[in-house]
Amino acid sequence: MADWGVRPASAVDVEAVAELRALVLRADLERLGRYDAQRVRQRLRDGFVPAHTLVIEVGGAFAGCVSLRPAEDAHWLEHFYLAPQVQGGGLGTAVLRELLERCDREGTVVRLNVLRGSPARRLYERHGFAVESEDPVDVFMVRPARP
């Protein structure tokens, strides 16, 4: 795995993240008949909260992002996108492991949703997430806090 790190996001990151989201979700959204080039970007812009978001960098360059949004009964893992050129090398596992270890120290349940049929679901299952519910587009998953 390459030299990587995270930094807090800022408002100026929103467009890079919106573009990455459109790129990495396109195949799954097209498969589900839900891809709209404008909507996929605007949904990110509408929900982007820099205070809850980390930018992932590899070799000092933008490579992805992830958000961990606090909610009443859990943290929501959202906007976890990696650039295609860094996928498959263990970076997603390393980032997810770090976030989950933090949540475990805090005793926090973690929730997420993933698109039906997305290969990312296997990553989440390997890290203890279980399906809570499904709809025609999304699979909602939960991982209890671990001692």
Side-chain angles (χ1 to χ4, degrees):
M1 177 178 19
D3 174 36
W4 69 276
V6 296
R7 66 167 172 79
S10 68
V12 300
D13 294 310
V14 69
E15 289 307 316
V17 173
E19 288 304 314
L20 179 60
R21 180 178 198 266
L23 175 67
V24 300
L25 293 185
R26 185 174 186 146
D28 283 331
L29 289 171
E30 284 178 342
R31 178 180 42 75
L32 293 166
R34 308 277 299 190
Y35 184 76
D36 176 306
Q38 300 307 317
R39 185 171 183 254
V40 71
R41 290 168 175 86
Q42 193 59 47
R43 286 193 66 192
L44 181 282
R45 291 178 191 117
D46 292 345
F48 186 72
V49 179
H52 301 149
T53 305
L54 297 171
V55 169
I56 302 163
E57 296 180 327
V58 173
F62 176 81
C65 68
V66 62
S67 294
L68 196 59
R69 179 179 53 84
E72 185 175 316
D73 66 338
H75 280 19
W76 279 87
L77 183 73
E78 300 174 319
H79 307 305
F80 192 10
Y81 311 120
L82 293 176
Q85 66 270 20
V86 299
Q87 292 178 9
L91 179 59
T93 294
V95 171
L96 184 58
R97 184 180 300 124
E98 190 173 290
L99 290 173
L100 293 176
E101 286 171 359
R102 185 173 99 193
C103 289
D104 288 345
R105 284 191 303 274
E106 297 171 359
T108 305
V109 172
V110 181
R111 297 182 183 283
L112 61 82
N113 66 289
V114 62
L115 291 171
R116 288 180 73 109
S118 171
R121 178 175 170 174
R122 290 189 304 275
L123 170 68
Y124 301 132
E125 289 172 337
R126 285 194 308 270
H127 287 274
F129 285 87
V131 174
E132 194 168 43
S133 65
E134 298 183 45
D135 66 27
V137 176
D138 292 303
V139 177
F140 295 87
M141 304 181 81
V142 63
R143 180 187 177 273
R146 297 185 178 168

